[in-house]
């Protein structure tokens, strides 16, 4: 059996890798998949915020921010990369109840505010693993909600999957976003082939002891990327951003030729995996 992909794992090089996305902030914004409206509904029903605000950790360009802001939720967004934060401000300009803070979550202070919800959309694995649970707990008031979610994608066509993996391996890519076939994903959140993926935070939350009412949910939906958008997506992924420039250019060229030869698009399974917990 193939190993489960490291969907949620801190690579050990979080400090440099978590800010490589800013080099291609526009491509990130154009190419990255978003999140299901059902996930937002689940989070807000669980949190029952009332008039309390939400805190978003690692907001990026606002793939999740806009969904919560559109529901009327006041959101404070902490984003470590100033270039990503600039795009985030543009994308949320119509929401006066969104505040964007450019800086590391580890250095940010809630300033005495108790947030009703702290959420992280495909970013929690970049936060310092030694401090993140303390930081989350200190930002949340009693009964506050922690919501962590990720959005992996998986290739549907086995032949295309194999061809993509061949390109990745020849250029030294580790942990590409399409490193598991869609058929390996079942119904249980955080799993591939029925096994929990590395870095899935449920066990850490349980061991911490300051959170309760743990809940996990998986949402599945179909995605179709044309060649240009898929290349934007890959160019925004840290596993590709850290490649030498000439390798990245050649990899994207070969991937583009492959997709164009197969109809100019790729069909993917989109996954949204959600963890919810409440402060004791």
């Amino acid at each position: 059996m193939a190993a489960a992909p490291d969907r949620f794992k801190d690579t050990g090089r979080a400090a440099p890798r978590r800010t490589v996305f800013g080099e291609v902030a526009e491509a990130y914004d154009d190419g990255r998949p978003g999140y299901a409206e059902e996930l937002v509904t689940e989070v807000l029903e669980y949190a029952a915020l009332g008039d309390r605000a939400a805190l978003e950790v690692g907001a990026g360009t606002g793939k999740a921010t806009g969904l919560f802001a559109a529901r009327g939720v006041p959101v404070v967004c902490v984003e470590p990369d100033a270039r990503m934060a600039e795009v985030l401000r543009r994308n949320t300009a119509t929401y006066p109840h969104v505040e964007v803070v450019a800086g590391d979550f580890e250095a940010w202070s809630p300033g005495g505010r108790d947030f009703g919800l702290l959420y992280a959309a495909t970013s929690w694995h970049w936060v310092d693993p030694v401090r993140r649970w303390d930081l989350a707990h200190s930002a949340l008031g009693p009964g506050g909600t922690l919501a962590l979610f990720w959005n992996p994608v998986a290739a549907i066509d086995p032949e295309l999957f194999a061809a993509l993996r061949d390109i990745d391996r020849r250029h030294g890519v580790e942990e590409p976003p399409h490193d598991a076939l869609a058929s390996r994903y079942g119904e249980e959140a955080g799993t591939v082939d029925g096994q929990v993926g590395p870095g899935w935070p449920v066990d850490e939350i349980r061991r911490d002891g300051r959170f309760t009412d743990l809940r996990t949910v998986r949402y599945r939906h179909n995605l179709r990327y044309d060649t240009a958008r898929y290349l934007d997506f890959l160019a925004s992924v840290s596993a590709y951003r850290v490649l030498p420039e000439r390798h990245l250019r050649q990899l994207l060229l070969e991937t583009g030729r492959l997709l164009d030869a197969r109809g100019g698009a790729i069909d993917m399974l989109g996954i949204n995996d959600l963890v919810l917990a409440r402060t004791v």
Side-chain angles (χ1 to χ4, degrees):
M1 179 184 297
D6 291 349
R7 297 295 188 191
F8 325 100
K9 188 176 182 181
D10 183 343
T11 64
R13 294 178 289 170
R17 285 187 67 168
R18 70 178 177 180
T19 55
V20 297
F21 312 112
E23 300 167 359
V24 286
E26 297 292 346
Y28 183 105
D29 193 47
D30 290 340
R32 285 295 184 105
Y35 300 92
E37 289 282 356
E38 299 97 314
L39 181 150
V40 178
T41 298
E42 180 85 23
V43 171
L44 293 180
E45 288 181 351
Y46 179 100
L49 281 175
D51 59 357
R52 293 177 297 171
L55 172 65
E56 181 175 6
V57 177
T61 62
K63 288 291 182 178
T65 317
L67 297 174
F68 284 90
R71 306 284 187 101
V73 177
V75 185
V76 175
C77 304
V78 181
E79 167 51 44
D81 191 283
R83 297 159 296 185
M84 298 286 276
E86 182 178 349
V87 179
L88 173 62
R89 289 190 182 98
R90 184 190 70 204
N91 287 343
T92 58
T94 58
Y95 300 113
H97 50 288
V98 172
E99 175 188 346
V100 178
V101 179
D104 292 337
F105 177 53
E106 294 88 340
W108 175 85
S109 171
R113 289 174 290 182
D114 286 337
F115 291 88
L117 167 66
L118 183 154
Y119 70 91
T122 314
S123 61
W124 193 244
H125 52 291
W126 297 121
V127 181
D128 181 354
V130 175
R131 300 180 58 206
R132 56 191 173 198
W133 305 111
D134 289 339
L135 293 169
H137 198 270
S138 67
L140 290 168
T145 292
L146 175 70
L148 310 176
F149 44 98
W150 286 264
N151 59 353
V153 296
I156 293 173
D157 183 335
E159 185 178 342
L160 179 56
F161 163 80
L164 288 169
R165 290 297 288 128
D166 180 63
I167 294 173
D168 290 328
R169 286 172 178 148
R170 283 193 283 104
H171 291 283
V173 173
E174 300 176 1
E175 303 168 22
H178 44 247
D179 62 348
L181 273 171
S183 58
R184 296 177 62 192
Y185 283 89
E187 298 300 322
E188 186 178 353
T191 66
V192 179
D193 296 325
Q195 302 297 313
V196 174
W200 184 237
V202 166
D203 285 345
E204 283 188 63
I205 294 171
R206 288 188 175 124
R207 287 195 300 269
D208 182 90
R210 291 173 290 180
F211 299 92
T212 188
D213 196 15
L214 188 63
R215 189 179 307 177
T216 64
V217 188
R218 168 167 283 178
Y219 301 91
R220 302 160 58 95
H221 54 277
N222 293 324
L223 298 171
R224 185 172 178 83
Y225 276 78
D226 63 25
T227 299
R229 185 168 180 237
Y230 196 65
L231 295 183
D232 276 347
F233 172 38
L234 294 187
S236 76
V237 173
S238 63
Y240 295 84
R241 296 306 313 156
V242 298
L243 290 176
E245 183 64 27
R246 63 186 181 86
H247 283 286
L248 177 59
R249 286 199 305 267
Q250 185 61 30
L251 182 150
L252 294 177
L253 179 64
E254 293 176 23
T255 301
R257 287 172 176 167
L258 173 65
L259 296 185
D260 283 344
R262 294 170 179 265
I266 179 172
D267 291 308
M268 309 284 286
L269 173 67
I271 297 288
N272 287 180
D273 277 345
L274 168 67
V275 178
L276 290 166
R278 207 181 306 279
T279 54
V280 174

